[in-house]
Amino acid sequence: GFRWSGGVMTGLGSLPGHSGSRGDGVSADGSVVVGYSYSAGSSNAEAFRWSGGVMTSLGFLSGGSDSRARGVSADGDVVVGWSHTTDEYASSEAFRWADGTMTSLGVLPGAHSSAALGVSADGALVVGVSEIADNTAFRWSNGVMSDLGAFPDGVYYTVASAVSADGSVVVGLMRDGDNEEAFRWSEGELLALGQLPESVSSFAQAVSADGQIVVG
């Protein structure tokens, strides 16, 4: 993992017992980086929070041995991601880490796994995906996880990858058979964003603070 600033790329190092790392999220002022540390040849990883040159492990959910941090709040105090568990019916669960404690966000009704992929600026709202028969995008707030719904034609395969600063806009991917298309969710409505000319798929990966600009 690296942090680039002022024209200089600096390595983040790795957690004890690991030989590599990957940075996946950064706070608004760039002082906090989150991601996961791993060892070559191992399938297990460990979520970290890096600040002031020090990489700290976030640990795992109960019974787990693998965790990965994907997003961080604007001030760097809230981290989200997922942790694999040993539960027979859940391969992973989305987590929200704050004040030194990693908390499971659970899964959607009928689902067996979930992963948090984005978080609002204040850390109160989390988005991601929960797997039922297909992947289903979720929005978590105040302890409640809810799905983003289906497109008018009944397409239900969705993945939420990012959220605007205030949590009002969510972006990601929808799939209908072999067709993949970026979407933007706002005020309870899913909007397909289309594809570039001669392209066969699109996937939204990030959104501006005000929710008006989507990239992917």
Side-chain angles (χ1 to χ4, degrees):
F2 72 83
R3 180 178 181 270
W4 180 96
S5 177
V8 178
M9 181 182 289
T10 305
L12 300 180
S14 57
L15 292 172
H18 296 275
S19 57
S21 62
R22 166 174 164 159
D24 271 340
V26 62
S27 62
D29 67 0
S31 65
V32 175
V33 181
V34 301
Y36 59 90
S37 189
Y38 58 88
S39 297
S42 172
S43 59
N44 288 342
E46 194 167 346
F48 72 76
R49 180 181 182 275
W50 179 98
S51 178
V54 178
M55 181 180 287
T56 304
S57 169
L58 301 187
F60 314 98
L61 291 177
S62 179
S65 60
D66 182 280
S67 60
R68 304 175 191 230
R70 179 65 181 265
V72 60
S73 60
D75 62 7
D77 289 343
V78 176
V79 184
V80 301
W82 66 92
S83 177
H84 290 281
T85 70
T86 56
D87 187 334
E88 179 183 357
Y89 299 104
S91 60
S92 68
E93 289 183 17
F95 73 74
R96 181 180 182 273
W97 179 96
D99 298 322
T101 301
M102 180 182 288
T103 305
S104 171
L105 302 186
V107 299
L108 289 174
H112 57 81
S113 67
S114 62
L117 303 178
V119 60
S120 60
D122 64 1
L125 192 141
V126 183
V127 300
V129 60
S130 188
E131 187 174 352
I132 308 176
D134 286 323
N135 287 328
T136 302
F138 74 76
R139 187 173 180 267
W140 178 96
S141 179
N142 295 320
V144 178
M145 180 182 289
S146 55
D147 69 68
L148 296 188
F151 281 84
D153 59 1
V155 174
Y156 211 80
Y157 185 112
T158 51
V159 176
S161 56
V163 61
S164 61
D166 67 359
S168 64
V169 175
V170 182
V171 301
L173 161 80
M174 58 83 72
R175 178 183 296 163
D176 183 5
D178 293 331
N179 178 60
E180 294 182 341
E181 191 168 349
F183 77 76
R184 180 182 183 272
W185 177 96
S186 178
E187 297 182 347
E189 294 187 4
L190 286 162
L191 173 67
L193 302 186
Q195 300 158 344
L196 290 173
E198 301 182 4
S199 174
V200 296
S201 66
S202 61
F203 187 178
Q205 294 275 33
V207 60
S208 60
D210 65 3
Q212 298 304 303
I213 306 297
V214 182
V215 300

